Amino acid sequence: MATLDMLILGKRLREQREKRGWTLAKVRGETGLDLPTLSRLEGTGMRGVPVRRPKRGIAGETLLRLALVFGCSADYLLGLADDPHPSRAPVAPGETP
């Protein structure tokens, strides 16, 4: 069973944000998440100072919001996949993937 690595999550969130040239405030506006939460997840304080990693994981709704805003998979953000945009084979109606 895979474990959640908050270091990978923080690194990938920061990469996705910086790739777009966004500030944490911009991500806040897009996701509705507060700045302290975003800063904690990235692992940096409000002024870029490293902070302690959270001992708990990330809420599913928070992860979904971030994945949708950044246009990547939740698996990628969590470090469970290396491709941020995995391709999916089409599924016929009535079939399960």
Side-chain angles (χ1 to χ4, degrees), residues 6-95:
M6 294 301 287
L7 291 173
I8 291 174
L9 174 67
K11 179 178 180 254
R12 290 190 172 179
L13 287 173
R14 192 170 38 261
E15 285 173 355
Q16 291 295 312
R17 178 176 62 79
E18 290 175 348
K19 181 169 82 170
R20 290 162 177 75
W22 290 4
T23 63
L24 285 174
K26 171 71 173 171
V27 178
R28 177 190 64 195
E30 296 292 323
T31 62
L33 300 170
D34 61 22
L35 286 175
T37 296
L38 293 168
S39 179
R40 177 181 56 81
L41 289 171
E42 278 196 7
T44 56
M46 299 300 283
R47 301 186 196 288
V49 177
V51 296
R52 289 185 317 163
R53 292 289 173 183
K55 291 184 180 178
R56 59 188 159 94
I58 182 173
E61 181 181 346
T62 301
L63 179 62
L64 179 59
R65 285 184 191 186
L66 291 164
L68 289 172
V69 164
F70 289 132
C72 62
S73 73
D75 283 350
Y76 173 75
L77 291 178
L78 293 172
L80 300 174
D82 293 328
D83 183 359
H85 311 289
S87 60
R88 292 202 171 127
V91 177
E95 290 185 10

